[in-house]
Amino acid sequence: KTTESTVMNFEQIPNIEKAWENVSIETLSPSTFSWVHDGCAYQVLLQRLLNAYPSCQLPSHRNTNIGTIVHKIYELTTKGLLRNFAEMRDKWEEMIKAEEDKLAAKYPTLKSINLNDYDKRNKAIKYALGIIKNRKPKGEDSSNVLVLSENYLDCKEIGLKGVADKVIIANGKVAIIDYKSGQVHDSEGNVKTEYVTQLHLYAAMCDHLNMGSINKLALVDINGEEILVDYDYELKDKLCNDVASTIGRLNDIIERRAFVEVVKADSSKCGNCSCRHICKYRLENEDDYYHTIEGTVTEEPSTNLYVITDDSGTSRYISGLDVYSLEDPQIYLNKRLVFINVIKSSPISEDAAYKVCDSSIIFEQL
């Protein structure tokens, strides 16, 4: 799918240093809490900053979009709004198209947008059909069973907010189900620590809201396999205490602007980070296919080419700009630009020549 070019200017990114004055952390979601400890906490802070500037956010990773659609299929099936394969297939295609249309409207420099993944679609629909097959007929001791899909849990008193994929309450007992579209186990075959943490934090929220006693925690992978996780009451309490201390530490980091204390720059992950366009600590491998280049436009040899000079004085040449119908390419001379997903002009070349491609996104840095 290709979007048509229109007269445009590049979206502007605010001055990040000044924007911190408006950022504070009051609550965390279970997944965000996990990423603070297991990933890069600085990314969490940058993402909170970007929440105030929706037009400056990068697109979600394709797998994130697919995961959201998978969850919606399960939710609608659980509620009885999708009843067979054809309805699920059509709903999937409808949601994929809606997400692709949003991307096309929000990112005019993106020329090729394709989110679909038919393998994951078929696996998701297979599991959804299983939900229908295993649903108890009405009247079969189901009057005391409450199934909550995509249930928003607000527990700001303990610093937690989030959406639980599925919560089943039956006779005062609570089962929490978390759907995962990626790998559930680590390299040693154990359930990933962050997923165990997330389930226990959802349990803490259900407990705080007096929804019942926790009797089941489970993950469901993209193949529909259910993986049980033992409920550890002491771990749940410990994590709740950790949430409060984590929020306090993050706010202290923001106040002191001591971001270097929580940065986990990793060249194998920075290239796909949702905040790489505003992160000054990112690392990049030269042999990566996609690159992020930031700097000042010091020359404009033609409407097709910019010379970008970074803070170290290194200059790079980025071509292909004539694929965009820029209102006036010269207005960016002496201004800072951030190019997301540019590629080497020649894969075997070691020079400083790059070009935009179908996946490129370009911002002006104020």
Side-chain angles (χ1 to χ4, degrees):
K1 167 176 169 175
T2 302
T3 60
E4 295 181 0
S5 294
T6 56
V7 175
M8 56 172 281
N9 287 323
F10 299 133
E11 193 70 50
Q12 294 181 328
I13 299 176
N15 185 308
I16 299 305
E17 298 308 317
K18 292 181 180 179
W20 287 115
E21 298 172 3
N22 301 315
V23 179
S24 64
I25 309 297
E26 296 180 357
T27 61
L28 297 170
S29 70
S31 58
T32 301
F33 174 85
S34 295
W35 190 244
V36 167
H37 292 276
D38 301 319
C40 178
Y42 184 53
Q43 180 189 2
V44 171
L45 298 179
L46 288 175
Q47 195 62 58
R48 285 298 175 94
L49 185 150
L50 284 176
N51 286 346
Y53 304 95
S55 63
C56 301
Q57 296 177 1
L58 292 185
S60 300
H61 191 278
R62 181 172 181 246
N63 289 341
T64 301
N65 284 307
I66 290 290
T68 300
I69 290 171
V70 167
H71 291 175
K72 194 64 179 179
I73 291 290
Y74 294 163
E75 176 192 358
L76 294 174
T77 302
T78 299
K79 292 179 177 178
L81 300 177
L82 296 178
R83 295 160 293 184
N84 54 55
F85 176 87
E87 291 180 355
M88 295 172 189
R89 176 200 62 204
D90 293 347
K91 189 63 180 179
W92 179 281
E93 297 296 334
E94 175 191 321
M95 290 190 289
I96 286 287
K97 184 179 186 306
E99 288 302 311
E100 290 178 344
D101 288 346
K102 287 179 186 176
L103 288 174
K106 187 173 181 178
Y107 303 100
T109 62
L110 279 178
K111 300 299 176 182
S112 179
I113 301 171
N114 180 17
L115 294 180
N116 220 337
D117 185 324
Y118 287 109
D119 179 56
K120 287 188 175 180
R121 182 201 71 172
N122 293 339
K123 288 176 178 177
I125 290 179
K126 179 180 178 182
Y127 179 75
L129 290 171
I131 292 176
I132 294 174
K133 181 179 179 181
N134 295 325
R135 182 181 292 133
K136 290 183 178 181
K138 288 184 178 180
E140 187 183 322
D141 194 29
S142 59
S143 58
N144 293 325
V145 177
L146 178 62
V147 180
L148 305 172
S149 296
E150 295 293 309
N151 190 47
Y152 177 66
L153 303 172
D154 184 349
C155 301
K156 56 182 176 292
E157 300 87 358
I158 58 173
L160 289 169
K161 285 184 181 180
V163 177
D165 292 341
K166 182 181 284 188
V167 177
I168 303 172
I169 305 172
N171 300 313
K173 305 291 185 181
V174 176
I176 302 170
I177 314 296
D178 199 16
Y179 298 117
K180 298 297 180 186
S181 56
Q183 289 290 328
V184 170
H185 297 92
D186 60 23
S187 58
E188 297 179 356
N190 300 313
V191 175
K192 291 182 179 180
T193 302
E194 60 262 38
Y195 295 161
V196 175
T197 295
Q198 290 167 28
L199 279 171
H200 278 79
L201 288 177
Y202 282 122
M205 287 194 280
C206 290
D207 190 43
H208 178 75
L209 295 171
N210 296 315
M211 297 173 71
S213 60
I214 310 300
N215 76 327
K216 178 180 177 181
L217 302 179
L219 300 164
V220 173
D221 67 15
I222 192 63
N223 296 309
E225 180 184 354
E226 184 177 83
I227 300 99
L228 295 177
V229 172
D230 291 335
Y231 177 48
D232 185 332
Y233 190 89
E234 292 183 357
L235 175 61
K236 184 262 294 183
D237 285 346
K238 178 183 180 302
L239 288 171
C240 279
N241 291 331
D242 287 348
V243 167
S245 60
T246 297
I247 290 174
R249 184 181 180 222
L250 292 177
N251 283 319
D252 177 62
I253 292 292
I254 294 171
E255 185 176 349
R256 293 188 291 116
R257 307 293 194 268
F259 304 117
V260 69
E261 295 180 13
V262 292
V263 169
K264 287 187 181 177
D266 182 340
S267 58
S268 67
K269 297 178 181 178
C270 288
N272 290 319
C273 175
S274 62
C275 301
R276 61 190 182 278
H277 57 316
I278 59 172
C279 179
K280 61 184 178 182
Y281 301 103
R282 69 177 183 275
L283 297 177
E284 187 173 272
N285 290 318
E286 271 303 310
D287 56 355
D288 286 345
Y289 184 74
Y290 292 115
H291 298 269
T292 297
I293 293 177
E294 173 187 347
T296 301
V297 181
T298 50
E299 296 181 54
E300 189 207 353
S302 73
T303 57
N304 182 51
L305 179 68
Y306 281 159
V307 179
I308 305 294
T309 304
D310 65 21
D311 293 338
S312 70
T314 301
S315 293
R316 296 180 175 88
Y317 303 84
I318 301 183
S319 63
L321 296 167
D322 53 358
V323 301
Y324 309 125
S325 297
L326 290 174
E327 188 173 11
D328 179 9
Q330 285 192 332
I331 67 172
Y332 292 109
L333 195 61
N334 299 319
K335 293 186 177 181
R336 291 182 69 85
L337 295 180
V338 183
F339 291 80
I340 310 295
N341 294 347
V342 292
I343 61 176
K344 286 272 192 175
S345 293
S346 170
I348 60 175
S349 173
E350 295 185 2
D351 62 20
Y354 297 81
K355 62 183 178 180
V356 299
C357 65
D358 286 353
S359 300
S360 297
I361 302 173
I362 307 167
F363 293 98
E364 178 187 357
Q365 193 176 61
L366 297 178

